[in-house]
Amino acid sequence: KENYREQLKYLEKIEKIGIDDSQFYIKYGYCLMLLEQYREAISKFEKSLELEEDTYPISKICFCYRSLGEYEKALKYCLKAKSFGRDDAWINLEFGLCYKELIDFEKSLEHYLRAYEDERYSFLLLEISKIYNILDNYTESFKFLTRVFEIGEKNRELYLEMGKCLTGLVRYEEAIENFLKARKLSLEVESSTYEEDKGLAYCYEVLGDNEKAKEYKKLSNKWDCK
């Protein structure tokens, strides 16, 4: 029923009674993880590992440390999981996400592409396109973004990345269309439009529409001040 708070009450009672079972601590850790109590989850997964070494709790510790923003520690557990034989899409995605945050984009892309060999869901495709955008490889980025448009939900992040990609491909009118769609979605949730405004200002300036370029530059400066 996905009622993790109620589940937690019973897990706590069982632990107080006393139990020495690795699977119990995996369930306990997983429950805490879903409640975003990551440090507590790590402690339970570690108890499971004390009783029986397995790639599953190791991988979950990796996820928890990444969720806490502790990417070096997350990588340590990713590598441990790999040393135990885990080399699937999930662990390679974890590697890729950690390396991205550590600004090692080449390694991030390497692991994303390994994950892509096994899984082709929209989140992974979008992550790959982001790295290609960062590395200025807009042709490859466009290929992956096109696939996301075919299979995934059209959201602000997707339109924004497509705007950046099309700008790099010197397709400014199309880039503007995507930046405007991303901007509209940002405004709907009262979120920052800084990136969209910056992209629009650049595209309009290149196209010689100085009035609109100034308008969006002014709007992006407003977010800079915040």
Side-chain angles (χ1 to χ4, degrees), residues 59 62 66 75 78-79 81-82 85-100 107-119 121 123-124 127-128:
S59 303
C62 165
R66 181 176 63 77
L75 275 177
C78 281
L79 289 165
K82 190 168 184 179
R86 183 159 193 178
D87 191 24
D88 57 6
W90 191 91
I91 200 69
N92 278 303
L93 177 61
E94 286 296 316
F95 269 116
L97 290 165
C98 288
Y99 280 123
K100 183 181 81 169
K107 278 190 178 178
S108 176
L109 181 61
E110 177 188 337
H111 285 283
Y112 281 157
L113 291 174
R114 280 188 201 167
Y116 177 70
E117 290 172 10
D118 298 320
E119 294 285 351
Y121 46 87
F123 175 78
L124 175 60
E127 281 295 308
I128 293 170

Side-chain angles (χ1 to χ4, degrees), residues 22-209:
S22 64
Q23 289 302 309
F24 166 76
Y25 282 109
I26 285 174
K27 287 175 183 175
Y28 202 163
Y30 189 70
C31 176
L32 289 162
M33 186 184 81
L34 291 171
L35 289 169
E36 298 183 5
Q37 297 180 32
Y38 297 117
R39 294 207 185 277
E40 295 88 342
I42 288 167
S43 71
K44 303 308 177 188
F45 288 132
E46 284 176 341
K47 282 191 178 182
S48 173
L49 285 174
E50 287 169 14
L51 296 164
E52 183 183 352
E53 285 202 313
D54 183 69
T55 59
Y56 184 83
I58 295 168
S59 303
K60 292 306 176 193
I61 293 172
C62 165
F63 174 86
C64 289
Y65 274 125
R66 181 176 63 77
S67 299
L68 289 165
E70 297 180 28
Y71 304 111
E72 294 285 0
K73 285 183 180 178
L75 275 177
K76 175 185 165 186
Y77 281 91
C78 281
L79 289 165
K80 191 172 182 179
K82 190 168 184 179
S83 74
F84 275 80
R86 183 159 193 178
D87 191 24
D88 57 6
W90 191 91
I91 200 69
N92 278 303
L93 177 61
E94 286 296 316
F95 269 116
L97 290 165
C98 288
Y99 280 123
K100 183 181 81 169
E101 295 298 332
L102 293 168
I103 323 297
D104 192 337
F105 300 119
E106 295 288 352
K107 278 190 178 178
S108 176
L109 181 61
E110 177 188 337
H111 285 283
Y112 281 157
L113 291 174
R114 280 188 201 167
Y116 177 70
E117 290 172 10
D118 298 320
E119 294 285 351
R120 304 196 172 187
Y121 46 87
S122 58
F123 175 78
L124 175 60
L125 298 175
L126 183 56
E127 281 295 308
I128 293 170
S129 69
K130 284 181 189 176
I131 300 298
Y132 276 128
N133 270 346
I134 291 167
L135 297 173
D136 298 332
N137 189 338
Y138 302 111
T139 302
E140 285 301 310
S141 177
F142 184 74
K143 289 178 187 175
F144 283 93
L145 285 167
T146 302
R147 289 170 197 163
V148 183
F149 270 99
E150 289 170 356
I151 66 172
E153 179 189 350
K154 314 298 185 293
N155 56 35
R156 179 253 181 188
E157 200 172 20
L158 178 54
Y159 286 122
L160 182 61
E161 289 303 316
M162 183 59 94
K164 292 176 184 176
C165 178
L166 291 165
T167 301
L169 291 170
V170 198
R171 293 163 60 173
Y172 300 117
E173 290 89 350
E174 293 168 85
I176 287 169
E177 287 177 21
N178 281 273
F179 283 134
L180 287 172
K181 286 175 182 176
R183 191 175 197 279
K184 184 183 177 208
L185 292 170
S186 291
L187 289 171
E188 284 176 4
V189 294
E190 298 181 355
S191 182
S192 167
T193 59
Y194 171 74
E195 289 195 77
E196 295 94 319
D197 293 335
K198 187 174 69 169
L200 287 163
Y202 177 80
C203 289
Y204 279 123
E205 187 174 11
V206 172
L207 290 170
D209 192 334

